[in-house]
Amino acid sequence: MSVRARLAIGAGLLVLTLAGAAGIIAVTQRDYLFGQIDAQLESLSGNAVAVLARTTDRTGPPTGSPTGPQTGPPAVLNDVYVGIIELDSSLTTVDAPTNDPDLRPNVDLPYPTEPATRPSAAGSAARMRVLTTPLGDGRHAVLAISTRAADETFGRLTLTLAAAGAAVLSVMALIWSWVIRLGLRPIM
C-alpha cells in the first residue's frame, strides 16, 4: 500500500471520528436539555392538584411573603402551561406562560402520562413537552413547557459543531496538500 493511500485512510478515519464525536455531543446535549424540561414537568405533576390551586388562587400572599397580594403566577410556573382536560375531552387553560399567553398544547388521546413532545395548537412555539396527570374525577391536569429554548440551544450547538468541523477539515486539507506537495512528490 502506498504512503498516499495510507494517508488517505488515516484522514478518512479522522473525519469519521470527528463526525461521530460531533453527533454524540449533539445527541447528548439534546437529551440533557429535554431531560431538564421533563424533570420540571414530573416534579410539578407529582402534586398536580396543588399546582392547579396555586395557579387559580392569586388573591392570597405568595409563598414566603408575609403580606401582600400575589400579582402573578409563582415564579416556577412562569414558563409552564397549566390546563385541564374536562370530561368532554375539551382543554381548558388554567394558566399560560407569561412570555406566550396564547400558547396551548395539542393534546390528543392517548394522553401522555410520561413527558412527550407534541405540536402546539396555538401560540408562538412550534413544539411542547406535555405531561398529563389524572385528577381522580375523570379529568386530567395538563402540564406543558415550550421546547423553543431547547430547540434554539440545540440549533446553535449544531451550527457551532458544524463550523468547528469545517475548520478542522480545512486545516486537514491544508496539511494534506503540504504533505503531498512538499513531502511525497520529491520522493516520487
Side-chain angles (χ1 to χ4, degrees), residues 1-134:
M1 182 182 302
S2 71
V3 174
R4 186 177 288 193
R6 290 180 190 166
L7 284 173
I9 290 171
L13 290 174
L14 190 58
V15 168
L16 287 175
T17 303
L18 177 67
I24 289 170
I25 290 169
V27 168
T28 302
Q29 187 65 26
R30 185 196 66 210
D31 290 346
Y32 174 76
L33 292 170
F34 277 73
Q36 285 184 321
I37 294 171
D38 294 349
Q40 186 177 358
L41 286 173
E42 287 170 350
S43 71
L44 291 171
S45 74
N47 198 354
V49 174
V51 170
L52 288 169
R54 282 186 80 181
T55 56
T56 56
D57 178 26
R58 302 246 172 94
T59 58
T63 304
S65 172
T67 60
Q70 187 173 352
T71 58
V76 73
L77 298 177
N78 282 343
D79 297 330
V80 179
Y81 172 89
V82 180
I84 297 175
I85 299 175
E86 303 291 346
L87 295 174
D88 64 356
S89 297
S90 64
L91 179 61
T92 302
T93 298
V94 175
D95 195 19
T98 54
N99 61 352
D100 193 359
D102 296 327
L103 191 64
R104 190 167 172 225
N106 187 2
V107 183
D108 295 325
L109 287 172
Y111 301 135
T113 56
E114 296 290 325
T117 302
R118 297 284 175 94
S120 62
S124 61
R127 301 181 318 148
M128 302 176 77
R129 293 292 282 176
V130 179
L131 177 66
T132 62
T133 303

